[in-house]
């Protein structure tokens, strides 16, 4: 079984490889194609990947290539994990919004919009290559903003599913707190990518979330960076991305007083690449854990195994709404538990969503529509509308200036931007 | 035909009386019952009302009473135009939110929530009296927040319709700009009370909005206090209440630098009451125009005339959604053009709402559900949830402190608030 | 020796009494006159004071009176510790500025100005009574804002010294950290009341501040609520009042999310008064420590003992600048170590103040001049100028609205405010 | 008489040349040396300068050179009008502070500090060349921040005077309003460069400022962008740079909603250079007026003429305080009217400065000391201290992050910045 990883030169790839090695029984790979336009980086990452597989006794070959065609040809699944513009563009995403008093984040708010603008056209072009050279392959999209990108892929008719590690992270941490195997924990996870709430935590048919909150509320709240009274009052666990909404002033104040996450990550990546270049390193470096993305490889392996093996188990993924959340358009993409088999992922029925969450979900989903329109068709007016539609921006004057700034800063990645 | 005005002691009542006098052919009233708990104020208002009707040669009797039962008995329509807590409570609504950095407004945001908390129980009790003593009467609700109050009335099974003067104001001003009779102008008005956009302006079957914007964009934008580029880019005209969203930082900055509107109105009311007390005054004082509420009487007369006369014409009112906006629950209350007849108001089909507006409508409508729950059932947690649900607040810490402050300041009007 | 305490009905008085009892050798009092306009509260406080002195075997009589004349007659020292308007006025001081986005504090910023406006005229009138009935007595002013109040007293020719517990608090805490007797610790304390920095900590002729910061920097920084890097970089310890300057946005954010200190203290005072009413309580209640004001009684006893006993020791007090800080006018009041004897307090020479501190001191001292002018002469324009002069406000629009709000809220205490 | 203009390649130079041509009787130049490291730009500017002088029949030769030595050798006066880093660096000065919620301005606040850091070492090096090759020449410094730069020059022992066009602008505009010749108008101008107030406007020995404010207050206030009530209440006219203090929140809000001034100027400069390249253009282009700097040439000519001609007239300049403002150190640089002759400029006595202005002057002057220390000696800690000392920043956390950002963005101009 061949798997292609587009953006395989990411410093994060060894995390994936580590997962493939550990979970080889679940996903018997014979070839892993790492595809990346950055040849020298790809070489380093492929090197450590091969050493890691060797050490683990895993038989898969690693193909490193800058040719998407070569990489995806014959693959049964293709992971998209790219970052258009790299950490430099991310740094802009995280810092430019601050200039207008708005949260700076790479997937939420103005930064997330900039990322969508840069990313959607690139992903769609890559997907066309998948369609051409591996027409039966599933595209698993890790590339952020996953909600918008997945919607773009589905609208273009691709066999795509969006994936994020927030849900699996909660599952593993809750399992750890409960002392049970993660496989016994099912989440009542609902919302959009990076805008979700855990409304139940089922273990053997029982909802243990009330108990978890009663016993561990403070610790759970600390993990997501929100006041414990929010968690106890609502009886749900928002993801830590909700902090950008529920505590946006605090986030802005914090971001004003420290370097961006991109700057941190860029420093970390430089160090990681040094390690990857060391021929004696044949295991995942400890530093990689600070890079984020815990359990991504578990999630990816599970999803691909179920898609290719028609397992019919339940996983949290990004799929078409198709009525699961009746207050959203059918064509919206949502993030919920779904049954995953050879035919794709079908959302489980979702208990009625309380208006406190539904209102925000509807608002952000509407923003995603406007944002996707801007990403597909370009134009400063569409970008400005998307910013006006976003609940974290939503002001005409700020939207105007942010549009100007974001387009200027992302000009190299946006062919449609006309010189000022 | 008997009409009852609950809150008839309002300084605004002479505006209504003036309309009744002018539009007597449309609405042949024989008795106007002014109901108000504030006897001395009611006396002044009833006095000038009688003198105005006399001068106009209108035959209707004016009944001034503090008994709701007496006032509504036998009425065919009952207007609700009350203000629980008066200008003092409004002043709190407009200023307390500023303390937490939020817009202070009497119908939008935290102030609107406080008003809903105070008002819904009172309105529901009054409506029960209408049910008991005038079971066939229509309740026309002017009382803000009209969206939430109307929803509360409908949920309790009352024959109620909500009314606001924003739409009729646009209709009259557009007609004025176009030099046509207002009756020829139909608005493509959509949204929730105080959260609406005019998406078309039909005159004799033609949409003249593009032309209006092209020719008068700046002046239209000035009227609503928003940048002309917003109006031209979107091709729609938001109501000036959208300024509290699209320019919230500017609003907060302005509100920090000047007295509240409540303080202005309180001063105006004192002057108006002096005029009403003057037996030589028998026409509507000019000062009343600064009090706000232009064309309210026209809107009220038209609505009651159509309800009682089964006219079947189209008017902008607040009614159940019932599928008109598919992205909202059926039971939500929306503000759209509707056909008004003896059976009530039935929304006209609404062209699909663009996500830029639908997202915000959905968010605020969801807030209204949470707010109504808080108003009906009380409890600091429900209030805090409503504040968290509102896009102009939406932060846990601010919601917590605003809850404390609003409940403390409104304690006299909220029997369920437990002493701290 | 007779001592009068004006504002003796304060719930804080038992703290003073406790000090008088413990330090009787230092200050051999024979009579303590508690003067307060609030008779019933005074009764409770006098009751516990008498019981505490009895239990300690202290011979002093306690006189409780609402007559200033009776209270101060024959006194050798008079403490001023009053609070015009009580906790209710303080609550306004702490919360109204937030409405305009400014720090709410009872002695700093707009709140401190309001307090000065209310307090200066009252204190000057009381001081006239001291002049008339105890012309030789020293006035020790605890009443905030101590800098402005002391300046007013000195300008009017009174024998007055201002006192604050910030310096003695640092002395005691540093002594504790060092494990030495406080008497061996001399502070290089400099600035204005509530705007001070410790630039050295001398123990037996050695400056141990560098060592203290090196070893305990984090803990010292935590005490003052400021980042440790500030303390280590500057090598000085600002008082925690500097947090209102050096972290004003953070303070505003915090204050927006919690009740005022006045509300907390009001609740505490109600509990304290219950304890004072209990005839079995004859010691200082533990709760009193949360009331603030640690070591106030030590500071007061030491100051009075030195003034009356001509001891010539060094204490940190508020006195005329008279050249000690050459960048301030001679008539400014500063807070520095001074030699205290029968002739009053004479500042020790102050090492040149670094511009980083001198700039802020000069700015706030200039504000104090403008504020005192406003307090003495009244008038909205003078108040607005004082707000414009304050570095934490400093904006014309905000100064205008804050003036209106503060005057309205303090009208009962400001005879010169004309009704709007 | 030879005059050297360091930074002579500025697009602004034709403004100067125009003044030299008009005012040739006052300043009989025989040689104008334009010195600039940017040779191609210098060529264009020198070209139009020569054509302008030719057209005016002015005999002076124009020397265009990149050699400071050649340019200044033999000059009797040297103008410094350089901009280290050009409009690109200015853009950073104007926009980076916004990211931390602070005013973005090229001479005030964090932007002004960055400019000082870049500029002071360069200016001092240039001044050494003047000392070496034109030891008798006066240095007239236009280079911002003029206060700090002049202080640096004087501290290093140079014959330097700082010059700004704010005062002459007021003089000319007041003269225009009054219909009198500017020479009859003397300003009571006081403060620091870009932090000044006009406290009197003398015409023939009479102060006409009260009359000007009474009659033209609104128009004067509009010119400086501040509320008229500020001008009428205080009876003084602040310079428009005070708007960055007295209305800083408004400025930040505006700056968040529009492009920087640097971006505008960069566009303008590109156009100007095109005009300069056109051999048919031999007069000052109208566009140059939008570039700012009105009356700079008048001010420069007058100052040089008085210095070299020992005229002993009064001009507003930047000089050592030397006791003129007793609340500032003698070595501070202030901006006041001074008598200008061959020996330099001697401040006229300054009437006592009201605390409302003195406090802010003292604070900003102290900041300038800390800033100069940082510019001379480098080091992130000194930079952070300067930011903490500035009343428009003044917060430790913001100062920390702004330090990091400014040093990173200005690294190319700050040899002492160590790579992160
Ligand atoms: Mn994710
Ligand atoms: Mn309305
Ligand atoms: Mn104190
Ligand atoms: Mn200047």
């Amino acid at each position: 079984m061949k798997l292609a990883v587009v953006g395989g030169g990411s410093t994060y790839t060894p995390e994936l490889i580590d997962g493939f090695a550990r979970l080889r029984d679940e996903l018997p790979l014979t070839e892993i194609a790492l595809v990346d336009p950055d040849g020298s980086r790809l070489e380093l990452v492929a090197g450590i990947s091969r050493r890691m597989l060797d050490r683990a006794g895993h038989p898969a070959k690693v193909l490193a290539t800058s040719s998407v065609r070569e990489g995806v040809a014959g693959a049964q699944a293709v992971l998209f994990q790219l970052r258009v513009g790299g950490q430099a563009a991310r740094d802009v995403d995280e810092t430019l919004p601050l200039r207008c008093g708005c949260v700076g984040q790479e997937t939420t708010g103005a930064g997330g919009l900039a990322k969508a603008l840069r990313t959607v056209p690139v992903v769609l072009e890559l997907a066309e290559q998948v369609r051409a050279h591996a027409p039966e392959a599933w595209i698993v999209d890790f590339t952020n903003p996953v909600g918008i990108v997945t919607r773009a892929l589905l609208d273009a008719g691709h066999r795509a599913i969006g994936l994020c590690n927030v849900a699996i992270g909660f599952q593993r941490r809750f399992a750890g707190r409960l002392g049970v195997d993660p496989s016994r924990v099912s989440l009542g996870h609902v919302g959009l990518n990076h805008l979700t709430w855990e409304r139940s935590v089922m273990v053997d048919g029982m909802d243990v979330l009330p108990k978890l909150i009663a016993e561990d509320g403070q610790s759970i709240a600390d993990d997501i960076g929100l006041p414990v009274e929010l968690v106890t009052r609502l009886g749900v666990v928002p993801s830590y991305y909700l902090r950008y909404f529920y505590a946006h002033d605090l986030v802005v104040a914090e971001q004003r007083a420290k370097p961006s996450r991109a700057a941190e990550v860029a420093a970390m990546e430089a160090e990681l690449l040094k390690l990857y270049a060391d021929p004696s390193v044949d295991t995942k470096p400890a530093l990689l854990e600070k890079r984020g993305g815990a359990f991504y490889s578990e999630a990816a392996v599970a999803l691909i195994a179920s898609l290719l093996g028609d397992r019919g188990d339940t996983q949290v993924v990004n799929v078409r709404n198709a009525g699961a959340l009746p207050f959203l358009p059918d064509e919206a993409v949502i993030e919920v538990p779904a049954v995953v088999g050879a035919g794709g992922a079908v959302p489980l029925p979702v208990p009625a969503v309380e208006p406190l969450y539904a209102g925000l979900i509807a608002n952000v989903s509407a923003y995603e529509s406007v944002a996707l329109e801007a990403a597909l068709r370009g134009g400063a007016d569409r970008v400005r509308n998307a910013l006006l539609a976003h609940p974290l921006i939503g002001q005409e004057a700020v939207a105007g200036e942010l549009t100007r700034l974001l387009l200027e800063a992302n000009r190299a990645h946006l062919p449609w931007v006309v010189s000022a």
Side-chain angles (χ1 to χ4, degrees), chain A:
Chain A
M1 181 188 305
K2 176 178 178 181
L3 173 83
V5 181
V6 178
S10 163
T11 56
Y12 182 73
T13 295
E15 182 73 42
L16 264 183
I17 298 294
D18 178 70
F20 295 153
R22 278 186 289 108
L23 306 167
R24 77 173 79 172
D25 297 337
E26 212 174 325
L27 193 69
L29 296 173
T30 54
E31 182 174 0
I32 301 168
L34 303 180
V35 184
D36 208 289
D38 180 341
S40 63
R41 186 160 161 160
L42 181 58
E43 208 43 60
L44 295 178
V45 171
I48 185 173
S49 299
R50 289 189 187 105
R51 296 194 298 275
M52 286 174 67
L53 291 170
D54 276 358
R55 181 186 167 116
H58 192 293
K61 287 182 307 175
V62 171
L63 168 66
T65 177
S66 290
S67 156
V68 182
R69 177 183 186 148
E70 183 187 11
V72 305
Q76 284 164 283
V78 182
L79 298 188
F80 280 5
Q81 62 168 32
L82 49 108
R83 184 183 289 283
V84 180
Q87 298 298 331
R90 177 186 183 171
D91 190 67
V92 170
D93 295 348
E94 291 179 344
T95 57
L96 247 181
L98 289 171
R99 178 159 149 190
C100 295
C102 297
V103 164
Q105 216 277 329
E106 62 159 344
T107 64
T108 295
L113 175 63
K115 193 176 181 68
L117 298 178
R118 291 193 304 269
T119 305
V120 164
V122 172
V123 163
L124 289 180
E125 209 169 293
L126 290 164
E128 288 308 323
Q129 301 235 39
V130 176
R131 173 142 51 197
H133 307 299
E136 299 304 310
W138 278 100
I139 294 173
V140 172
D141 182 61
F142 282 179
T143 300
N144 273 320
V146 163
I148 294 171
V149 169
T150 302
R151 168 91 187 260
L153 288 166
L154 294 175
D155 285 358
H158 297 291
R159 285 166 64 86
I161 297 188
L163 191 59
C164 172
N165 69 334
V166 163
I168 196 170
F170 274 123
Q171 185 204 41
R172 303 292 162 124
R173 267 174 286 143
F174 289 151
R177 289 179 192 278
L178 294 163
V180 304
D181 191 82
S183 65
R184 287 170 57 200
V185 175
S186 304
L187 299 173
H189 178 101
V190 72
L192 311 178
N193 179 248
H194 293 189
L195 190 89
T196 51
W197 295 260
E198 310 305 321
R199 295 191 297 161
S200 63
V201 176
M202 305 302 291
V203 175
D204 308 335
M206 283 271 299
D207 183 3
V208 299
L209 183 55
K211 185 174 128 81
L212 272 168
I213 290 175
E215 290 173 3
D216 270 343
Q218 186 63 57
S219 158
I220 290 171
D222 291 349
D223 281 355
I224 57 171
L226 283 166
V228 66
E229 58 208 304
L230 178 76
V231 173
T232 51
R233 186 173 81 252
L234 301 181
V236 307
V237 182
S239 97
Y240 58 89
Y241 286 100
L242 262 303
R243 186 169 190 255
Y244 298 112
F245 292 84
Y246 289 154
H248 57 71
D249 286 338
L250 187 58
V251 168
V252 167
E254 287 172 4
Q255 291 183 332
R256 277 181 179 162
K258 66 174 191 195
S260 67
R261 174 74 182 151
E264 279 174 40
V265 170
M268 220 179 281
E269 292 202 331
E271 266 193 76
L272 284 171
L273 288 173
K274 270 188 229 157
L275 290 168
Y276 298 171
D278 177 346
S280 75
V281 174
D282 59 1
T283 56
K284 184 178 70 165
L287 174 63
L288 195 47
E289 306 210 342
K290 297 195 189 151
R291 173 77 182 73
F295 307 115
Y296 244 136
S297 58
E298 271 76 4
V301 164
L303 178 55
I304 297 167
S306 292
L307 288 168
L308 303 186
D310 194 20
R311 300 201 302 196
D313 58 344
T314 297
Q315 300 183 34
V316 173
V317 289
N318 286 265
V319 288
R320 288 276 195 215
N321 175 38
L325 300 182
F327 56 90
L328 292 187
D330 284 355
E331 60 275 21
V333 163
I334 62 175
E335 187 174 289
V336 288
V339 176
V340 184
V346 178
L348 291 176
V350 181
V353 178
E354 296 80 355
L356 176 53
Y357 317 127
L360 189 54
I361 293 171
N363 204 344
V364 175
S365 180
Y367 149 77
E368 291 190 347
S369 294
V370 188
L372 179 52
E373 194 75 3
L376 290 172
R377 301 176 59 195
D381 280 359
R382 288 191 189 90
V383 172
R384 188 167 188 173
N385 286 350
L387 290 166
L388 190 64
H390 198 293
L392 288 178
I393 301 151
Q395 295 191 95
E396 171 67 7
V398 166
E401 180 62 359
L402 273 178
T403 297
R404 197 183 65 78
L405 293 169
L406 289 176
L407 296 192
E408 192 177 298
N410 286 281
R411 177 167 306 184
H413 304 291
L414 302 177
W416 52 265
V417 174
V418 186
S419 202

